[in-house]
Amino acid sequence: MTTIAIKDVHQQLSFRQLTLGVTLNAQQQLNNFSFSGAPALAPALDDLLMSEKADSVYVFGAQGVGKSHLLQGCVLRAQEMGQQAIYISCRELIQIPSVQADECLEGLESNALICVDDIDHLINDMHWAQAWFHLYNKLMQQDHHLVISATLNPRTVVCHLNDLRSRLQLANVFQLMVLDEEASGRLLQEKAQQKGLYLTNEHVAYIFSRSPRGLANVLAVLDLLDTASWHEKRRITIPFIKQVMAW
């Protein structure tokens, strides 16, 4: 691929990924996130969003615990407060050649809040690690805020730059735990109620018995049921769930 072609790909990807409103899910709000596995995290995020001083939060946990929901919720809350904020998914950003990492992140420190999802997908590369290190320093110098997610805690995450690792360890660190089936069921019923739907314990048990594992998959089922219920003007029943999900 020619240099010009690579640059064109970079511009297209960075524009698609770093433009607000493209990747944000308006349903992923902080007020419908379950903090039951990390109750101290909610006030920590409130303090960060209200603070006029530099601050950072680092959350880690297995896939499916809601890290993306949490980070997008932070951005949406910040925007509601009139702050300039951006959500970045490193799973998508990794498509950009690492030699263009500095160019890709250039100027992002103007945001009052940056939420970086799955940073461990990038900082095992020296180019990206250095770019994030420089951006981190610029953000802190301007008293801006950073929320980061990863699979592992900052002490054990694979990072090719010790200076960046030390910065990550300065953050307020929280671990998100996988909800057990009972807690996930309660959360599913709460989210259904927010959508104007009523799920009985029987409905929840049936969904969990048929849906792929993981809270994200179960919530995706709820979204489909919500859409189908609205279009067909039908309440939720086991036969209706079977029909919509083809189970």
Side-chain angles (χ1 to χ4, degrees), residues 42-70:
L45 290 175
D46 287 340
D47 289 344
L48 177 140
L49 291 170
M50 295 296 295
S51 175
E52 295 182 359
K53 296 182 178 180
D55 202 0
S56 59
V57 168
Y58 182 110
V59 296
F60 70 97
Q63 184 176 354
V65 297
K67 299 190 295 291
S68 298
H69 180 161
L70 180 74

Side-chain angles (χ1 to χ4, degrees), residues 58 60 150 152-159 162 164-166 168-171 173:
Y58 182 110
F60 70 97
L152 300 175
N153 70 56
R155 290 188 177 87
T156 58
V157 70
V158 178
C159 178
N162 287 332
L164 176 59
R165 184 193 302 278
S166 68
L168 297 179
Q169 292 178 10
L170 293 175
V173 180

Side-chain angles (χ1 to χ4, degrees), residues 43-57 77-78 81 83 111-113 139-140 142-146 172:
L45 290 175
D46 287 340
D47 289 344
L48 177 140
L49 291 170
M50 295 296 295
S51 175
E52 295 182 359
K53 296 182 178 180
D55 202 0
S56 59
V57 168
R77 174 73 62 80
M81 296 168 62
Q83 298 178 10
N111 290 277
L113 171 69
L139 283 169
M140 297 302 106
Q142 296 190 35
D143 287 329
H144 288 173
H145 305 134
L146 184 65
N172 298 305

